[in-house]
């Protein structure tokens, strides 16, 4: 058995300092359960053959978004299961289960963000859906950047003697996933600008709701014939 796989000896300070921020407070899993979606990519192609008739560029974009949605939900479920394993094993410290959960949630976030970008482009011109996906991608942007640019944080720590080391690009609390932000000004006027180094939280409830919405849109686009207005706006023949 590996040392990180099964521990009982780390103090709260050691957990928070050397494993992950606030890990000593993580006692429960509040991530809602989400069922894995059906094979919507397959349904999309069958639907396109007999009903919807998407143009090639639109079909490629939608298929990519739907696949990303499926990957995001599958990884969310795996991350949730490992998080349950970790908290249910306490007071034993199954650190490897925590890191497995973290890895799956990282992958979930990357796929969720990319799926939202693709859907945002597809629904361009539909004010309600375009605004929803614009706001949702802005809410996820810090987490996407924290994961994708973690190499920059490593290099900054190496080159700056005053920089504080980051253990992971994201970490898990009892009700959310957190990260440190990078400075940027959001496109959405109702979202505040964020300063580099401030803490950003994404609740498990909000992440689950985003995934459910993506799944519902994937279902509609892959199994139903679109209305003419949607067809005209979003690249349908």
């Amino acid at each position: 058995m590996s040392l990180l796989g099964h521990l009982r000896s780390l103090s709260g300070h050691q957990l928070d300092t050397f494993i992950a921020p606030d890990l000593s407070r993580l006692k429960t899993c509040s991530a809602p359960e989400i069922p894995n979606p059906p094979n919507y990519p397959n349904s999309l192609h069958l639907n396109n053959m007999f009903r919807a008739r998407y143009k090639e560029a639109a079909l490629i974009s939608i298929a990519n978004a739907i696949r990303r949605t499926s990957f995001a939900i599958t990884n969310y479920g795996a991350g949730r299961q490992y998080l349950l394993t970790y908290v249910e094993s306490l007071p034993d410290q199954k650190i490897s289960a925590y890191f497995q959960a973290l890895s799956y949630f990282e992958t979930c976030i990357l796929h969720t963000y990319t799926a939202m970008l693709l859907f945002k482009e597809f629904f361009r011109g539909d004010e309600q859906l375009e605004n929803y996906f614009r706001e949702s991608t802005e809410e996820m942007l810090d987490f996407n950047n924290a994961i994708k640019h973690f190499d920059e944080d490593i290099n900054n720590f190496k080159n700056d003697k005053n920089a504080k080391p980051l253990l992971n690009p994201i970490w898990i609390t009892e009700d959310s996933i957190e990260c440190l932000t990078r400075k940027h000004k959001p496109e959405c006027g109702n979202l505040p600008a964020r300063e580099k180094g401030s803490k950003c939280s994404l609740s498990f409830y909000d992440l689950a709701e985003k995934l459910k919405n993506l799944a519902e849109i994937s279902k509609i686009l892959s199994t139903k014939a679109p209305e003419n207005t949607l067809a005209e706006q979003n690249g349908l023949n």
Side-chain angles (χ1 to χ4, degrees), residues 36 73-84 100-101 104-105:
N36 284 331
I73 294 174
T74 299
N75 279 275
Y76 173 91
R80 178 181 179 274
Q81 196 57 51
Y82 274 108
L83 181 54
L84 283 170
Q100 289 274 23
Y104 280 114
F105 284 130

Side-chain angles (χ1 to χ4, degrees), residues 141-210:
L141 180 60
D142 281 308
F143 296 89
N144 178 79
N145 286 346
I147 296 166
K148 292 183 69 174
H149 300 293
F150 191 51
D151 60 322
E152 297 176 10
D153 296 323
I154 296 172
N155 288 330
N156 287 340
F157 173 69
K158 181 177 65 176
N159 298 324
D160 184 354
K161 294 181 179 180
N162 297 319
K164 184 178 180 180
L166 280 175
L167 298 170
N168 305 289
I170 64 172
W171 58 91
I172 301 169
T173 70
E174 289 208 334
D175 59 1
S176 65
I177 298 171
E178 295 186 344
C179 73
L180 295 181
T181 67
R182 280 174 162 73
K183 183 176 182 179
H184 68 277
K185 184 177 181 181
E187 293 180 23
C188 305
N190 60 332
L191 294 177
R194 272 95 81 185
E195 293 296 325
K196 182 176 180 179
S198 59
K199 187 182 292 186
C200 186
S201 295
L202 174 67
S203 74
F204 282 116
Y205 175 82
D206 286 342
L207 177 58
E209 288 300 303
K210 286 177 170 56

Side-chain angles (χ1 to χ4, degrees), residues 105-166:
F105 284 130
E106 285 183 8
T107 305
C108 167
I109 287 170
L110 293 176
H111 283 305
T112 301
Y113 180 78
T114 305
M116 287 181 167
L117 284 179
L118 290 163
F119 279 131
K120 184 181 76 169
E121 289 304 311
F122 176 73
F123 287 112
R124 187 173 294 278
D126 184 312
E127 183 176 357
Q128 182 177 4
L129 285 171
E130 187 178 350
N131 287 340
Y132 168 75
F133 283 114
R134 181 182 295 111
E135 291 184 7
S136 295
T137 53
E138 285 288 353
E139 292 166 358
M140 299 282 295
L141 180 60
D142 281 308
F143 296 89
N144 178 79
N145 286 346
I147 296 166
K148 292 183 69 174
H149 300 293
F150 191 51
D151 60 322
E152 297 176 10
D153 296 323
I154 296 172
N155 288 330
N156 287 340
F157 173 69
K158 181 177 65 176
N159 298 324
D160 184 354
K161 294 181 179 180
N162 297 319
K164 184 178 180 180
L166 280 175

